[in-house]
Amino acid sequence: MRQVLDETDRRIAAALVASPRASWREVARCLGLSERTVVRRVALLYADGTLRATVVRNPACFPHLVPVVLRIRCRPNKIRQVAQALARRTDTVWVDILGGGDEISAVFFLDGAEARNNLLLRDLPATDAVSSWTAHHLLRVFPTAFRWTAGLLSPTEMAELIPKPAPPTTRSPSYTQLDVDTALITALAEDGRATYTDLARHSGTTAFTARRRLEALVNGRVLRLATELDLALLGAQTEALLWIAVRPGALEETAQTLSIHPQVRFCAATTGPANLVVAVAAANLDALYTFLTDTVGLLETVTAIDTTPLLATVKRTGLIRH
């Protein structure tokens, strides 16, 4: 994995964060580069693991999934071992070590109520290094927050890469899972940029059918394609989770407002005293302070906020950090 990227690599990476399956020709046209330059540079970025492509399911479309975010208090001298053990679980999507070095935040997509109960009533109590935890169900994820690009792309460039988003809906998307979908999801989780020929081979169908089905899943927000990388490489040196308490009647409006902010990477309504969790990626601590005072601070609907900086990321978007 690279420790630093030059300006061209950073912009290519930002384009692929914005549009994970964009063709090299589309990226080249958007950034004003030659296609050959994009192909050469991006091949190296994927080869050394600086960029990784994957996919994440929308739990609202999979009724058996129970999406939960946990704040887990641990003994500081054991926190890395606990975080790594959580990251190895196939049902964790994000695992971060937070602010004081004694707390972990983890997002789980649990396979039903029994799996949730086993985690909360058996697995965590049996872990000596864990002292306490709080569990919050994810009620709704606001997808516009996934348009984060560290400010490296202009609005015009963003518009070239990303289709205009569908208007927000207050109901869960309607989705009927087909037999081919499971194989497609498994293949894309391993390589979000797998060719349609490869996807067809994994799913036992044709390249045309694989492409048509993937487009339907993405356009229907059943799946979210993602490009994973160390955000510091794009200039985001400070990340934090904000646990925000919002007046219930203003939750939707507040979430929509924050989810489109250029420094917000994730925004979801949750159960619990803090009913909105927001992941922020800022250039530095001063930029985080400005976001808190000039953006969150101006929202009269916000009644309380708990800001927890991220010390380390162990797993993100279902991929373990190396």
Side-chain angles (χ1 to χ4, degrees):
M1 185 182 295
R2 310 281 183 90
Q3 300 302 310
V4 65
L5 299 180
D6 65 21
E7 185 66 16
T8 298
D9 282 343
R10 291 172 71 204
R11 281 174 49 76
I12 290 173
L16 291 169
V17 169
S19 184
R21 282 186 68 90
S23 71
W24 308 142
R25 180 174 298 177
E26 290 171 331
V27 173
R29 183 176 64 247
C30 170
L31 302 181
L33 301 170
S34 71
E35 187 175 350
R36 182 175 181 179
T37 296
V38 171
V39 171
R40 175 172 54 84
R41 286 177 174 258
V42 84
L44 295 174
L45 292 171
Y46 281 113
D48 65 13
T50 299
L51 298 182
R52 293 190 289 170
T54 188
V55 71
V56 180
R57 292 172 293 175
N58 177 0
C61 297
F62 297 83
H64 68 285
L65 290 181
V66 181
V68 176
V69 57
L70 264 63
R71 299 182 66 174
I72 304 169
R73 291 280 186 179
C74 302
R75 298 208 307 266
N77 64 330
K78 296 291 186 180
I79 196 164
R80 284 197 176 273
Q81 292 94 313
V82 174
Q84 289 164 358
L86 290 172
R88 288 192 293 269
R89 291 178 59 119
T90 58
D91 53 11
T92 52
V93 185
W94 287 274
V95 179
D96 295 304
I97 298 175
L98 303 181
D102 65 346
E103 186 178 4
I104 293 169
S105 171
V107 173
F108 293 77
F109 287 176
L110 296 160
D111 191 14
E114 184 177 359
R116 177 199 59 200
N117 294 344
N118 286 340
L119 172 66
L120 298 178
L121 304 178
R122 184 192 67 190
D123 299 344
L124 288 176
T127 306
D128 292 337
V130 172
S131 56
S132 64
W133 60 89
T134 56
H136 313 265
H137 283 70
L138 292 177
L139 300 176
R140 181 170 301 161
V141 176
F142 296 85
T144 49
F146 299 123
R147 294 164 63 91
W148 182 90
T149 60
L152 290 167
L153 301 182
S154 70
T156 301
E157 291 167 336
M158 289 281 287
E160 280 192 46
L161 284 172
I162 306 175
K164 185 177 180 180
T169 177
T170 57
R171 295 181 299 174
S172 298
S174 175
Y175 167 58
T176 300
Q177 187 167 357
L178 304 182
D179 292 340
V180 70
D181 294 350
T182 300
L184 283 176
I185 293 169
T186 300
L188 288 164
E190 292 294 325
D191 180 8
R193 288 198 63 94
T195 67
Y196 293 112
T197 300
D198 287 339
L199 292 176
R201 186 173 66 251
H202 281 289
S203 56
T205 187
T206 65
F208 174 78
T209 299
R211 178 170 188 161
R212 185 180 60 182
R213 191 59 192 158
L214 175 55
E215 289 174 351
L217 293 173
V218 172
N219 293 337
R221 292 184 175 175
V222 176
L223 301 178
R224 178 176 68 87
L225 298 165
T227 299
E228 171 59 21
L229 78 162
D230 181 354
L231 302 187
L233 292 173
L234 300 187
Q237 301 292 333
T238 299
E239 294 186 69
L241 285 180
L242 312 182
W243 311 86
I244 302 175
V246 179
R247 294 202 306 269
L251 182 57
E252 177 80 14
E253 176 188 357
T254 304
Q256 293 288 353
T257 298
L258 290 176
S259 69
I260 63 174
H261 192 281
Q263 291 179 326
V264 170
R265 295 200 69 242
F266 178 80
C267 181
T270 72
T271 59
N275 52 3
L276 193 64
V277 59
V278 174
V280 176
N284 48 44
L285 288 171
D286 187 62
L288 175 61
Y289 175 82
T290 300
F291 175 79
L292 293 173
T293 56
D294 294 1
T295 300
V296 181
L298 297 181
L299 298 175
E300 295 181 357
T301 57
V302 172
T303 59
I305 182 171
D306 179 8
T307 304
T308 53
L310 269 60
L311 295 186
T313 294
V314 184
K315 188 176 188 179
R316 180 166 287 168
T317 326
L319 298 175
I320 298 175
R321 284 287 181 89
H322 299 301

